[in-house]
Amino acid sequence: MELAQLIECCILKIKMSRSKDYYSILGISRDADEKQIKSAYRKLARKYHPDVNPNNKEAEDKFKQVTEAYECLKDADKRKMYDSYGDRWQDAHAYQAQGGDMGGSRFDFGDAGSIFEDLFGGFQNTDGFGDVFQQQGRRRSRNDSPPQDINISIEVTLEEIASGTKKTIEYTALDGCNTCSGTGQVRTRRSSKCSGCGGKGVVHQFPGMNMKCSACGGSGSTNIDNCPTCRGKCTIHANRKVEVTIPKGITNGKKLRVPGRGSAGSRMKIGDLYVKVTEKSHPVFQRNGDNLEVKVPVSYIDVLLGAEIRIPTLTGSVSMKIPECTQNNQKFRLTGKGMPTLSKQVGDLYAVIQVKIPKQISDEEKNILLNLREISGVTV
Ligand SMILES: [Zn+2]
Ligand SMILES: [Zn+2]
């Protein structure tokens, strides 16, 4: 260490002895852990926040102090510097880094926005408290929007489910902007006024407290501008056409995921498309899991005498024998004529006999039935 450095170092150590005590400002012990630091800060920040104490200079000063203390102690490296050099740790830091510009970087607010959203976000729905920070959070993250999933419902027939099918779905979504690779910004030849700070180089963070604009590094001008294609939004509207394969035997209400076909957020990150498959009700068949049920009207004569009848299935009708004296609502199982399942098995079809009574009978039929009544003695 050269002499000049040594002297500088000694001066810092002397300054330290008169320094603010971040630990006592936060009311914590010197060996407090990260959780205790955060919890102490949250409590004090809520208490002294300018929104809660309008026009209260004392509270504002307190608030600045606790924020400064927290910003330092929450960061392990900065905390180590502070423990060695006191609240001149930034100067020591700059000195160690041989930056030369001792006063150049006052403390860095870093993720202060997110801390405040975290602190006050919970109140927002009740009385708008904390709106300022929400807005600041949004402004900061304007070019950092997350991708979104898209949900779409489609209706398919039982026949389509039984055979499996493909469906073309059309919808609008957001695509990542190619011009700016989804960053919302492009480099320009000439430098222009920084849009982050309006050319001031600083951003108003809390009442009476400014921070260096991160967009322009405090210079007030940049050669970065909003992307002309997406106007800084990182995404553009797009009409999509996606073909979706509906697997054989899919169950009602099931969602199919099509990766990467949702809406883009910033930086070309893209969400997924979810297609909810809803089964249209069928005029003939009722689905019951993997099984189907069909009502089959049969004349009263055929149920009494037994007969060979036609049963509709999803793949055409088949014939089936019913025995003598088949009862109304009697069920017959046709194995393997139900729905295919995703596991490649096939359900059964149940034919439910519905006895058909004629609306009219001829005189001849009537005579026969009167005879029949005579013979069988059936009167009810
Ligand atoms: Zn700026
Ligand atoms: Zn763009």
Side-chain angles (χ1 to χ4, degrees):
M1 207 179 254
E2 286 176 15
L3 186 62
Q5 286 177 321
L6 199 65
I7 294 167
E8 189 88 45
C9 201
C10 289
I11 292 170
L12 287 172
K13 295 246 177 195
I14 293 161
K15 280 177 177 170
M16 177 194 156
S17 60
R18 292 185 272 118
S19 68
K20 284 179 259 175
D21 183 352
Y22 285 166
Y23 293 99
S24 67
I25 287 172
L26 289 180
I28 50 177
S29 66
R30 293 191 82 82
D31 56 3
D33 64 15
E34 224 174 284
K35 225 169 131 190
Q36 291 168 318
I37 295 171
K38 188 167 183 181
S39 146
Y41 171 65
R42 287 171 71 102
K43 226 163 76 191
L44 292 168
R46 276 177 193 271
K47 187 172 166 192
Y48 295 117
H49 192 273
D51 275 4
V52 198
N53 305 280
N55 304 321
N56 181 340
K57 185 83 180 58
E58 203 180 322
E60 195 182 311
D61 287 344
K62 273 270 195 204
F63 181 71
K64 284 180 195 170
Q65 278 180 24
V66 295
T67 304
E68 183 181 333
Y70 173 68
E71 286 298 325
C72 170
L73 296 185
K74 70 164 189 184
D75 182 306
D77 287 338
K78 290 178 185 171
R79 185 176 176 183
K80 219 182 277 170
M81 292 298 286
Y82 172 77
D83 288 341
S84 309
Y85 296 105
D87 69 345
R88 301 294 298 172
W89 60 273
Q90 293 144 5
D91 296 341
H93 187 60
Y95 169 76
Q96 278 201 345
Q98 293 294 307
D101 178 16
M102 296 287 276
S105 77
R106 293 305 301 167
F107 63 86
D108 170 21
F109 271 87
D111 60 359
S114 62
I115 292 162
F116 288 114
E117 280 165 41
D118 183 27
L119 271 176
F120 294 102
F123 291 98
Q124 213 205 356
N125 292 339
T126 52
D127 56 9
F129 186 61
D131 268 2
V132 184
F133 295 107
Q134 291 289 330
Q135 278 158 17
Q136 281 170 351
R138 257 199 296 281
R139 188 172 63 216
R140 191 198 310 281
S141 58
R142 191 185 47 164
N143 290 336
D144 196 22
S145 52
Q148 303 286 338
D149 293 334
I150 290 181
N151 288 287
I152 287 180
S153 266
I154 55 163
E155 277 197 329
V156 290
T157 64
L158 212 51
E159 284 87 350
E160 286 172 326
I161 294 174
S163 59
T165 185
K166 285 183 193 305
K167 288 269 175 191
T168 301
I169 299 168
E170 291 184 47
Y171 59 100
T172 55
L174 295 173
D175 272 349
C177 172
N178 283 322
T179 310
C180 59
S181 302
T183 60
Q185 294 181 322
V186 287
R187 287 196 176 277
T188 53
R189 288 227 179 93
R190 59 187 177 80
S191 63
S192 54
K193 202 200 268 181
C194 168
S195 59
C197 60
K200 290 194 196 91
V202 289
V203 195
H204 188 61
Q205 185 73 18
F206 319 109
M209 197 183 267
N210 289 331
M211 66 178 275
K212 191 160 74 180
C213 171
S214 60
C216 61
S219 69
S221 65
T222 68
N223 60 346
I224 290 172
D225 214 343
N226 277 348
C227 166
T229 309
C230 64
R231 298 200 176 126
K233 291 198 174 94
C234 312
T235 52
I236 47 170
H237 284 275
N239 292 320
R240 292 259 182 83
K241 222 182 210 183
V242 171
E243 194 181 65
V244 184
T245 302
I246 312 292
K248 211 176 186 178
I250 191 165
T251 45
N252 187 29
K254 179 135 182 125
K255 277 186 175 182
L256 299 171
R257 176 170 165 260
V258 190
R261 302 308 275 155
S263 267
S266 54
R267 290 164 220 289
M268 310 303 263
K269 281 179 268 176
I270 190 143
D272 300 330
L273 169 69
Y274 287 90
V275 181
K276 185 177 172 189
V277 179
T278 312
E279 178 187 306
K280 271 187 201 161
S281 67
H282 196 280
V284 175
F285 299 102
Q286 265 203 312
R287 186 178 184 184
N288 197 352
D290 303 331
N291 298 329
L292 289 176
E293 201 172 278
V294 61
K295 290 192 161 86
V296 185
V298 183
S299 84
Y300 73 104
I301 300 165
D302 282 348
V303 292
L304 282 173
L305 297 177
E308 186 156 331
I309 58 171
R310 300 297 294 179
I311 311 284
T313 76
L314 276 175
T315 49
S317 68
V318 295
S319 68
M320 185 186 81
K321 276 188 177 151
I322 53 166
E324 269 181 30
C325 299
T326 292
Q327 303 294 304
N328 190 33
N329 285 327
Q330 194 170 336
K331 281 185 183 179
F332 293 90
R333 184 167 74 174
L334 287 85
T335 310
K337 293 288 181 193
M339 290 299 286
T341 64
L342 289 169
S343 60
K344 306 253 163 38
Q345 289 173 318
V346 184
D348 302 327
L349 171 67
Y350 287 88
V352 187
I353 303 303
Q354 307 285 285
V355 177
K356 226 166 56 183
I357 311 291
K359 292 254 164 31
Q360 264 181 335
I361 48 171
S362 65
D363 286 348
E364 201 184 346
E365 284 170 317
K366 201 168 180 175
N367 282 330
I368 295 168
L369 288 169
L370 284 168
N371 265 333
L372 180 63
R373 181 193 272 175
E374 200 78 8
I375 297 161
S376 63
V378 177
T379 49
V380 269

